[in-house]
Amino acid sequence: MTGDQVKGKGFRGALNYNLEKVNKGVAKWLDTSFAQHDERTIMDEVKMIRVLRPNLAKYFYHTSVNFPPHENLKDDQMLTIAKDYLEAMGFDQHQYAIFRHFDADHPHMHILVNRIGYDGTVLSDSKDYQRSEQIIRKLEKQYGLTEVISSRQAKERAMTKNELEMMKHTDEPSVKMKLQVTIKNILNQKPIAEQFISQLKAQGINALFNQASTGFVSGISYGYEGMQFKGAHLGNAYKWQAVKNAINYEQERDRTAIYQANVRTRANQSERTGQSTSTGATERTIADTKVTAGNRNDVQQGTGKLQDQIGKANRNNIKAAQPVGEHSGQPIISNKKHRGERGADLSIQQSGRQQMVNSAILGGNLIGNLLGVDNNAGDMDQNAVNQFKRKKRCRYRP
């Protein structure tokens, strides 16, 4: 099994995504804590719990659990695994919804959870990616499922979606794959550290070591074709801890060679930066780095498509939503002198500004809307939240 996780500020986008799949007949409900299966009832129940923690930004948790194609589990088996997963993650007193999807070549399910519990406590998200992976490994053994190598055990990082697409267009291996193959061949020769550096350089790879003033080295990264990769981005076999055990390395003997390698690499980086600025290639460099340097999804085992797919389901709500109020988007100017009139006028200004902000949010990108606040102003009892905040401020007023 693999897990692809998303945390955000809005429940509605992910809910609509799954409900749309159900309406199209490519998904089904497995279980839920909500009284009914319609959007309005679910959002009403969510806001009742959310008001307990109105200042919590990311209260929403969503994960897709994916199984290999040959493990076509029955609904009750998948539901049992889902509930065990929720309990092990600590979501045993939280609102949830579980869907099974049939729109891919492998069985998978989507789990939506409110991080705010029924008693108002919030489940910590500290190291939740690592915890999720550990739980999935245990569930594989418990139910006799195909065991997947964990990200900690994997010696090489798999290609990302962007790298696969690039390979299709260029019909060439990705830069990361080239690096992995080249470095692996050099390491298999078991060279001394100075030879390792020179052989990398001969292949166009500039090594950059994290070297302290004492000569101690704690990390390594590789520069290749204008891009920089940390060892961890290539895989565990390319981290310094593994590299120094694969080569003949002595700290005192090799500290000068490593220092000189760092000087050359930094000089090349400075030269490349200057050329990029003068030729207008900065945007390309930034784009390549985003594709290859790795991101949080590299740590996860998921497909990385979850956010994009959910964002599409929220498009109709974004287009349909409109600013409310005659002052929306218009600045309010007043010359009234009376204190009461000025106070009322200030309130109108604040209302206008708030509606302008809401309008800006609605016009943002899809992912921003998905992970932003829920679009419809009726999703949450705002009056209750405002009253809660006013009481909290009055409590500390001298």
Side-chain angles (χ1 to χ4, degrees):
M1 291 188 294
T2 61
D4 187 8
Q5 303 175 63
V6 175
K7 289 173 289 185
K9 304 176 183 178
F11 206 98
R12 178 183 293 276
L15 177 63
N16 284 337
Y17 166 75
N18 284 276
L19 291 179
E20 183 179 335
K21 294 288 187 180
V22 172
N23 293 334
K24 290 181 178 179
V26 293
K28 66 190 297 185
W29 285 87
L30 287 183
D31 193 25
T32 182
S33 63
F34 299 108
Q36 298 182 33
H37 290 174
D38 63 286
E39 175 193 348
R40 181 169 182 172
T41 299
I42 292 174
M43 294 308 302
D44 284 345
E45 291 188 39
V46 167
K47 72 183 181 183
M48 290 174 61
I49 299 299
R50 189 184 173 193
V51 77
L52 299 175
R53 288 297 184 107
N55 295 324
L56 178 66
K58 294 186 177 182
Y59 73 98
F60 164 68
Y61 177 87
H62 181 190
T63 183
S64 66
V65 179
N66 306 276
F67 301 84
H70 65 275
E71 288 183 342
N72 194 14
L73 303 175
K74 296 181 180 179
D75 289 348
D76 57 345
Q77 294 174 310
M78 193 173 286
L79 177 58
T80 300
I81 293 172
K83 288 192 170 183
D84 286 350
Y85 175 86
L86 285 174
E87 183 177 358
M89 285 290 289
F91 292 117
D92 53 343
Q93 295 296 324
H94 297 251
Q95 294 171 319
Y96 68 89
I98 306 172
F99 300 85
R100 178 171 186 166
H101 286 223
F102 305 94
D103 57 346
D105 59 358
H106 63 280
H108 64 285
M109 58 183 170
H110 290 243
I111 306 175
L112 286 64
V113 189
N114 188 343
R115 289 182 56 222
I116 306 172
Y118 293 115
D119 59 354
T121 58
V122 180
L123 184 66
S124 172
D125 61 352
S126 176
K127 297 183 178 181
D128 54 350
Y129 291 95
Q130 293 91 327
R131 288 191 292 115
S132 175
E133 187 175 20
Q134 291 172 1
I135 291 168
I136 288 175
R137 298 287 81 78
K138 291 180 181 179
L139 291 175
E140 288 172 345
K141 294 180 179 180
Q142 180 178 344
Y143 291 100
L145 304 175
T146 302
E147 296 187 26
V148 177
I149 298 177
S150 69
S151 60
R152 287 183 175 273
Q153 294 174 322
K155 291 186 177 181
E156 295 183 355
R157 291 289 187 194
M159 287 184 294
T160 64
K161 176 187 174 184
N162 288 332
E163 289 173 320
L164 286 171
E165 291 297 326
M166 188 181 298
M167 287 181 61
K168 290 179 182 178
H169 287 91
T170 62
D171 198 26
E172 291 184 1
S174 68
V175 176
K176 186 164 69 176
M177 287 187 63
K178 292 178 183 178
L179 267 177
Q180 289 172 335
V181 172
T182 302
I183 298 173
K184 184 189 298 183
N185 289 337
I186 295 175
L187 291 175
N188 288 338
Q189 301 174 26
K190 300 186 181 302
I192 63 173
E194 188 172 2
Q195 292 173 338
F196 173 67
I197 295 170
S198 62
Q199 289 180 33
L200 288 176
K201 189 174 183 299
Q203 298 295 327
I205 303 172
N206 296 307
L208 182 64
F209 300 83
N210 186 10
Q211 185 183 42
S213 58
T214 60
F216 178 77
V217 177
S218 58
I220 186 173
S221 62
Y222 309 90
Y224 187 60
E225 294 189 2
M227 306 175 203
Q228 198 74 21
F229 297 81
K230 290 183 178 179
H233 293 152
L234 301 180
N236 289 338
Y238 307 94
K239 294 181 180 179
W240 174 244
Q241 187 63 36
V243 168
K244 74 175 184 179
N245 291 330
I247 65 176
N248 184 340
Y249 167 73
E250 294 180 12
Q251 179 174 312
E252 290 302 319
R253 182 195 67 193
D254 300 318
R255 62 186 299 173
T256 301
I258 288 176
Y259 173 79
Q260 292 173 348
N262 285 346
V263 172
R264 288 193 301 269
T265 299
R266 292 191 176 101
N268 289 335
Q269 289 176 341
S270 299
E271 181 181 354
R272 187 170 63 250
T273 302
Q275 291 175 349
S276 176
T277 303
S278 61
T279 58
T282 305
E283 292 182 1
R284 175 185 174 277
T285 302
I286 294 175
D288 290 343
T289 302
K290 287 182 178 178
V291 171
T292 58
N295 51 42
R296 201 171 192 186
N297 286 335
D298 287 338
V299 180
Q300 306 176 54
Q301 299 182 46
T303 62
K305 299 179 181 179
L306 187 57
Q307 291 184 355
D308 292 334
Q309 292 174 335
I310 297 172
K312 293 178 182 178
N314 212 22
R315 180 173 293 143
N316 292 334
N317 288 335
I318 297 170
K319 290 182 178 179
Q322 297 293 335
V324 181
E326 60 182 85
H327 299 291
S328 177
Q330 300 295 329
I332 307 297
I333 303 175
S334 174
N335 293 320
K336 298 177 181 179
K337 304 297 183 181
H338 191 273
R339 173 180 294 180
E341 293 175 339
R342 289 199 302 270
D345 193 56
L346 178 60
S347 176
I348 295 175
Q349 292 182 38
Q350 292 173 339
S351 175
R353 283 195 295 269
Q354 181 60 46
Q355 290 163 3
M356 290 170 66
V357 172
N358 291 341
S359 176
I361 292 175
L362 293 172
N365 61 72
L366 295 181
I367 295 301
N369 278 280
L370 169 62
L371 298 183
V373 294
D374 293 314
N375 294 323
N376 195 325
D379 285 357
M380 185 173 176
D381 188 350
Q382 190 61 44
N383 291 330
V385 177
N386 291 339
Q387 184 178 5
F388 173 87
K389 292 182 177 179
R390 284 197 296 271
K391 287 181 179 180
K392 190 171 182 180
R393 287 198 299 268
C394 292
R395 191 175 302 165
Y396 297 100
R397 183 175 297 171

